[in-house]
Every structure is written in structure tokens, then in C-alpha cells.
């Protein structure tokens, strides 16, 4: 239910676990064990400590709620964390990705980073620009 929010939080650089297979109680236990805040739309958990209940149904509203309550440094947004698996990205040289990204991407970007877990390649301009536009739209 919060998959899109989780992807965005990761793109913004926040360490974000997302595991739809875990039930509410298991998720809360894991969050507490790891010193995390649990984000949920489950009203029953609204008053629990270490839980942020999200009022909004859509990811933009949810992102706004999270950032309002837990502002974090977004200066490394875009090339720091894999949106798919939450791992930290490693910067790689252009030559390392020449055959792994579309030619126009290679030609128009200087900085690339790779997720060593899933192999996904991220690049500067388009990801970061898209994110900035989205943040402006959200009003953050
Ligand atoms: Zn990954």
C-alpha cells in the first residue's frame, strides 16, 4: 500500500524498509528493534508510539506528512540509495556503464551510480531533475 512512498523515500536518501509480507505486529516489532519509525495507513496503530499514521491516500500527501514530521537531509537525493532494494549506491565511472545504459543517457550524463545488490544503474541529470520537479509540485 505504501510502495510508492517507500520508493520515493529511498530516492530522497532515507533508509527505508518495505516488506509487504510482514504483518502489522511483525513490522512494528522490527521497526522498534531497529530504532525505526513505522509508517502506516492502519488506523488501529494510530496512537502507538514509534508509529506515524498517514492521513493521506496518495504518495505526495504521504511524503509531505513524513517530511513535515521527520525532516531529513536531502542533499544527496538521487544518487545515494537504490529505490528498489534500499542499498547504498556506489559511484561508477562512465566507461563502466557504456554498454549498460541507452546511448543518449550515456551521452548526456557525467555521473553514474550502481546498486551492487540488484545491478540497477542510476544517473544524475534526469533522476535528479525529475525528483526536484516532483518536490516542487509537492511543495517541499
Ligand atoms: Zn538495488
Amino acid at each position: 500500500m505504501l510502495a510508492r512512498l517507500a520508493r520515493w523515500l529511498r530516492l530522497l536518501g532515507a533508509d527505508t524498509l518495505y516488506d509487504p509480507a510482514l504483518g502489522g505486529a511483525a513490522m512494528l516489532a522490527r521497526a522498534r528493534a531497529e530504532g525505526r519509525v513505522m509508517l502506516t495507513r492502519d488506523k488501529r496503530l494510530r496512537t502507538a508510539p514509534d508509529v506515524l499514521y498517514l492521513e493521506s491516500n496518495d504518495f505526495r500527501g504521504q511524503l509531505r506528512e513524513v517530511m513535515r514530521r521527520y525532516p531529513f537531509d536531502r542533499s544527496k537525493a538521487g544518487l545515494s540509495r537504490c529505490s528498489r532494494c534500499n542499498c547504498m549506491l556506489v559511484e561508477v565511472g562512465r566507461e563502466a556503464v557504456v554498454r549498460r545504459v541507452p546511448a543518449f543517457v550515456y551521452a548526456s550524463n557525467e555521473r553514474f551510480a550502481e546498486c551492487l545488490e540488484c545491478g540497477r544503474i542510476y544517473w544524475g541529470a534526469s533522476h535528479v531533475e525529475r525528483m526536484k520537479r516532483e518536490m516542487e509540485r509537492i511543495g517541499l
Side-chain angles (χ1 to χ4, degrees):
M1 192 152 62
L2 298 175
R4 200 164 181 195
L5 174 65
R7 273 201 310 277
W8 271 93
L9 286 171
R10 288 171 179 165
L11 284 171
L12 290 168
D15 179 6
T16 309
L17 291 183
Y18 179 74
D19 186 353
L22 283 182
M27 203 182 296
L28 188 54
R30 180 159 181 198
R32 285 183 177 154
E34 297 180 12
R36 297 173 181 276
V37 175
M38 179 175 164
L39 307 176
T40 185
R41 291 270 303 138
D42 186 342
K43 280 195 171 126
R44 291 168 302 179
L45 294 169
R46 195 170 24 193
T47 56
D50 313 315
V51 169
L52 177 59
Y53 169 74
L54 300 169
E55 302 276 347
S56 180
N57 252 325
D58 87 305
F59 87 97
R60 291 188 181 93
Q62 292 163 352
L63 205 47
R64 213 177 285 126
E65 289 179 60
V66 175
M67 299 295 286
R68 202 177 291 141
R69 179 80 177 272
Y70 299 102
F72 57 86
D73 178 19
R74 285 182 279 142
S75 60
K76 287 188 178 166
L79 288 178
S80 67
R81 195 174 289 277
C82 181
S83 66
R84 190 185 292 169
C85 47
N86 197 43
C87 292
M88 296 304 289
L89 301 176
V90 176
E91 290 230 24
V92 289
R94 289 181 86 223
E95 63 286 350
V97 301
V98 61
R99 288 184 183 81
R100 299 169 65 194
V101 297
F104 74 93
V105 168
Y106 182 77
S108 57
N109 286 279
E110 291 297 322
R111 293 178 63 210
F112 294 89
E114 177 177 14
C115 172
L116 298 181
E117 186 72 25
C118 72
R120 192 173 193 176
I121 306 287
Y122 291 79
W123 49 89
S126 53
H127 284 294
V128 175
E129 279 313 307
R130 183 172 159 240
M131 192 173 312
K132 279 184 186 158
R133 278 200 306 274
E134 190 65 56
M135 289 299 106
E136 280 165 19
R137 194 171 160 189
I138 292 173
L140 292 171

